[in-house]
Amino acid sequence: MSTHAPERPKAQQPELPAADRARLEKAVSLPRARFLMGLPVAVIVLIWSFNGAQFNFAKLGEGAVNMGEFLSRLFPPDFSKFGKIVELLIETFQMAVVGTVLGAVLSLLVAFAASSNISPKWLYYPARWIMNVIRSVPDLVFALMFVSAVGLGPFAGILAMTLGSLGSIGKVFAEAMESVDRGPMVAMQAVGASKRQVIQYGVLPQAAPLLVSYTLLLFEGNVRGATILGLVGAGGIGLELTTAMRMYDYGHLSAIIICIIVLVTAIDQGSALIRKKIT
């Protein structure tokens, strides 16, 4: 008489639905014929763009000597005006903080109107059109406009950064909201939740990590952008940078560039730590 316990039947593996199977197979399938046909078109467009833009590797090689000569003039850096550089960098940082906060808040409001899953069509298309128009205008143009309106100084730069954010980060915010799972939204609507409740509890919690990440990216961009806006007198260290270039003060120019690199690197590392905490 056998003392072994009877063998348990093996658990049956669940069947994969046909739709999921097709989706997984599609992800590893070979490129379709239309994709292969589009490759020659892409190559032609790329060659046409290189020719139209007058991109020339030979000319770049010939100019390498001049670039090396320019870089050699930047050394040694002159930190005799280090106090002034730090003061202007702090002003640049402050401009980026204020511009980022205002730009992120306004971009979030516009993003609600520009999200197809929560906004009616009569509001969605005008919001998208406005963001396209703003995104098409360079920030330097906004800076010149605000300099003529409020005068020279960081206030004009902050206004330029805020308005420029609506076109760039507003679009990204809207796409982050559109990419959320519609399941919780449908469930809340089924039990009679209002539009505000759907957005507050169904959309924002899902999109929050992306919104924070994009806001940090906006802040990094505003720090770099503030150095450019200073070229037209909109505050920050950009004006000092331009003055050093015009005066051929290469030592001072080198010191400014090094300090900007240190600031941007510190901000990038801080942003990376914050992103790591929220993801």
Side-chain angles (χ1 to χ4, degrees):
M1 186 175 183
S2 176
T3 59
H4 294 288
E7 294 184 1
R8 296 181 180 178
K10 294 182 178 179
Q12 188 176 1
Q13 296 294 331
E15 291 290 336
L16 189 66
D20 293 339
R21 182 183 297 276
R23 177 175 57 82
L24 293 174
E25 291 176 351
K26 182 180 178 181
V28 296
S29 61
L30 295 176
R32 296 182 178 181
R34 60 184 179 184
F35 175 77
L36 296 177
M37 292 175 60
L39 284 179
V41 177
V43 172
I44 292 174
V45 172
L46 184 61
I47 295 175
W48 172 73
S49 300
F50 267 94
N51 291 332
Q54 300 179 2
F55 190 88
N56 192 324
F57 283 104
K59 184 178 294 186
L60 179 62
E62 295 173 358
V65 177
N66 295 330
M67 288 191 296
E69 182 181 354
F70 175 80
L71 292 175
S72 65
R73 296 175 184 173
L74 297 178
F75 295 95
D78 181 10
F79 287 96
S80 60
K81 300 179 181 178
F82 181 71
K84 185 175 184 180
I85 295 174
V86 171
E87 179 183 351
L88 292 174
L89 279 178
I90 293 175
E91 182 179 276
T92 302
F93 182 83
Q94 293 169 333
M95 289 172 56
V97 170
V98 178
T100 299
V101 172
L102 295 178
V105 171
L106 294 179
S107 297
L108 185 62
L109 296 177
V110 175
F112 289 140
S115 301
S116 59
N117 56 341
I118 60 177
S119 177
K121 292 186 181 298
W122 62 267
L123 183 60
Y124 169 79
Y125 289 107
R128 285 280 178 169
W129 182 81
I130 291 173
M131 288 194 300
N132 290 338
V133 172
I134 294 176
R135 192 165 56 252
S136 303
V137 180
D139 288 348
L140 280 177
V141 176
F142 289 137
L144 288 170
M145 178 181 69
F146 286 119
V147 164
S148 64
V150 301
L152 299 173
F155 184 41
I158 292 172
L159 295 176
M161 283 190 290
T162 301
L163 186 57
S165 300
L166 292 178
S168 57
I169 208 69
K171 178 177 182 293
V172 178
F173 279 2
E175 293 177 350
M177 294 182 188
E178 290 177 343
S179 65
V180 301
D181 184 8
R182 292 189 59 86
M185 299 173 60
V186 174
M188 294 181 66
Q189 291 170 347
V191 297
S194 64
K195 176 70 73 173
R196 180 191 63 82
Q197 291 173 326
V198 171
I199 295 174
Q200 182 177 355
Y201 300 107
V203 176
L204 288 180
Q206 296 186 71
L210 284 177
L211 297 180
V212 174
S213 180
Y214 291 140
T215 301
L216 293 174
L217 184 63
L218 172 65
F219 176 61
E220 296 173 17
N222 282 341
V223 172
R224 291 187 291 268
T227 64
I228 304 300
L229 297 179
L231 299 178
V232 295
I237 202 169
L239 183 59
E240 185 72 14
L241 187 70
T242 305
T243 302
M245 293 177 63
R246 291 176 178 173
M247 299 296 293
Y248 301 104
D249 191 355
Y250 292 105
H252 185 43
L253 175 63
S254 176
I256 294 174
I257 294 174
I258 291 173
C259 291
I260 293 175
I261 292 174
V262 171
L263 176 63
V264 171
T265 302
I267 292 174
D268 179 70
Q269 293 298 317
S271 299
L273 291 176
I274 296 176
R275 288 194 191 96
K276 187 176 180 180
K277 295 293 184 180
I278 64 175
T279 56

